[in-house]
Amino acid sequence: MTYFSVGLGTTTRNSELKIIEAWYPQPITTPSDDLIQRLLGVVKHEGGNTAHVLEPEHYTALSAVFADAGMTLNVKLLAAAADSKQTLVLTLLETDSAPVSVAEAFLKLHLLSHRLAKPQQIVLDGIFAVLHNIAWTSEGPIDLPELPDRQIAARLAGRILSVQCVDKFPKMADYVVPSGIRIGDTARVRLGAHLGEGTTVMHEGFVNFNAGTLAVSMVEGRISAGVLVGNGSDVGGGASIMGTLSGGGKEVVSMGENCLLGANSGTGIALGDRCTIEAGLYITAGSKVTLLDSHKAAINTVKARELSGMSDLLFWRNAQTGRIECLTNKSAVELNSELHLHN
């Protein structure tokens, strides 16, 4: 597996080699052997996963390589960079190993948001240690030690430097906007989110990195890190899908196709296809669930983890007894076609 891309890297004022972020307009997966060999020759690559800080003398040769490969965005980037003082970075990943640099980490996050990789398919181990907190501002990313000076300079120049967030991850839409999606509040979708064609993320929806949707979905709740939601499934307002980060959990929680999480509900187990959890009910792995037969008579009580990944299940809380019950859900969830029609 080989990944590479050339992008714009932002460095700190005091250290030109300290890259704090990287923007890759056109990352590429599985490039041809000829393209890779030509790139390696330009930057004198010696092997391994490496981020090369490009010099202006590299631009012409790289531009010719990308032009022959039909990579027009990279050609335009190199042409514009000739009149810029910004740093360009060529990142090559020969192996899918844990990222050890900011440029490697950003390339992997871009691969996810460009839909060139799906959540849980590439190694992101240790990414929190590689990335550091940055002030993401109206004037671009700023390393925190430099922020006070930049704020003073902006004020003296009659500008307001707005700090949008302080985080390791920027918002996805500042770097990647995939086709066929809607996002009500772009601050609630992190770079590294995977949004499938036809997904709508409403204003209160949230999608973390290394998580997201495969195709048509309405997201009004939270999709936590590591979670993947199948085609036709909806996450209701205030609903939550438990991720793999909280409490050090290793279990991958996911939703299959045509599932529905009701408003303010949630799941800590994987759902197969055509499953429903009623509004206000949160299912965790240790929840005691009473199984019902076709006449709604209790036949057994199990822990919810024993139902993980099964399809055609309907979960509700008995209004009289308070117990959680599960019935086979024979009718597929009919999603709001009008909401999805114009995604």
Side-chain angles (χ1 to χ4, degrees):
M1 181 184 298
T2 302
Y3 303 121
F4 87 90
S5 192
V6 62
L8 178 67
T10 299
T11 60
T12 66
R13 180 183 302 175
N14 299 322
S15 173
E16 286 301 315
L17 295 179
K18 183 182 178 184
I19 300 170
I20 61 174
E21 62 95 28
W23 171 64
Y24 299 106
Q26 195 174 9
I28 293 296
T29 183
T30 59
S32 68
D33 291 339
D34 178 66
L35 176 58
I36 287 294
Q37 291 305 313
R38 293 181 65 185
L39 289 175
L40 299 184
V42 172
V43 297
K44 305 298 189 294
H45 182 70
E46 296 181 356
N49 295 344
T50 309
H52 297 273
V53 177
L54 301 178
E55 302 296 337
E57 54 264 29
H58 293 134
Y59 294 178
T60 301
L62 286 174
S63 183
V65 173
F66 290 134
D68 290 345
M71 298 178 63
T72 56
L73 282 178
N74 283 338
V75 173
K76 291 179 181 178
L77 175 61
L78 288 164
D83 298 320
S84 171
K85 295 182 180 179
Q86 296 290 337
T87 302
L88 286 189
V89 181
L90 173 66
T91 304
L92 296 109
L93 303 180
E94 292 185 352
T95 61
D96 184 20
S97 54
V100 297
S101 70
V102 170
E104 290 179 26
F106 263 76
L107 178 51
K108 289 199 166 188
L109 294 175
H110 277 262
L111 290 169
L112 286 162
S113 291
H114 277 284
R115 300 175 184 152
L116 294 173
K118 294 178 182 177
Q120 301 287 350
Q121 282 191 345
I122 54 177
V123 178
L124 295 174
D125 296 349
I127 194 169
F128 282 97
V130 171
L131 301 177
H132 50 285
N133 286 329
I134 296 295
W136 305 96
T137 79
S138 55
E139 296 185 4
I142 300 175
D143 207 19
L144 290 180
E146 298 182 2
L147 182 59
D149 288 344
R150 292 286 297 273
Q151 289 174 315
I152 291 172
R155 290 287 183 177
L156 292 176
R159 306 190 313 274
I160 296 178
L161 192 156
S162 176
V163 178
Q164 297 161 353
C165 71
V166 177
D167 195 5
K168 294 175 181 287
F169 299 80
K171 57 184 180 181
M172 183 189 75
D174 281 350
Y175 296 81
V176 183
V177 180
S179 61
I181 66 165
R182 290 191 291 140
I183 303 176
D185 183 351
T186 56
R188 299 183 65 84
V189 181
R190 273 173 148 183
L191 181 65
H194 181 289
L195 298 187
E197 186 95 19
T199 291
T200 294
V201 182
M202 295 300 290
H203 295 74
E204 292 303 314
F206 172 77
V207 185
N208 212 333
F209 79 101
N210 198 29
T213 62
L214 287 177
V216 176
S217 288
M218 177 64 65
V219 181
E220 297 182 88
R222 187 174 77 237
I223 301 179
S224 302
V227 172
L228 189 59
V229 175
N231 180 40
S233 291
D234 285 0
V235 183
S240 175
I241 307 170
M242 189 179 294
T244 58
L245 296 179
S246 300
K250 299 296 183 181
E251 186 73 21
V252 176
V253 179
S254 61
M255 288 176 61
E257 297 186 353
N258 299 311
C259 293
L260 175 64
L261 289 186
N264 297 316
S265 68
T267 181
I269 64 170
L271 300 179
D273 298 333
R274 299 172 301 279
C275 291
T276 300
I277 298 180
E278 76 162 3
L281 175 60
Y282 204 118
I283 304 291
T284 64
S287 297
K288 295 291 185 66
V289 180
T290 299
L291 305 180
L292 305 180
D293 63 17
S294 58
H295 302 289
K296 298 183 182 179
I299 55 175
N300 195 11
T301 298
V302 299
K303 288 188 176 181
R305 64 170 56 92
E306 297 180 46
L307 304 175
S308 184
M310 294 185 180
S311 299
D312 298 300
L313 301 180
L314 171 61
F315 294 91
W316 65 55
R317 187 179 297 279
N318 189 301
Q320 293 182 318
T321 65
R323 71 185 181 187
I324 299 173
E325 298 177 342
C326 178
L327 181 69
T328 300
N329 184 13
K330 292 299 184 182
S331 60
V333 179
E334 294 183 1
L335 302 177
N336 191 327
S337 58
E338 184 64 28
L339 287 176
H340 291 163
L341 183 60
H342 302 290
N343 285 354

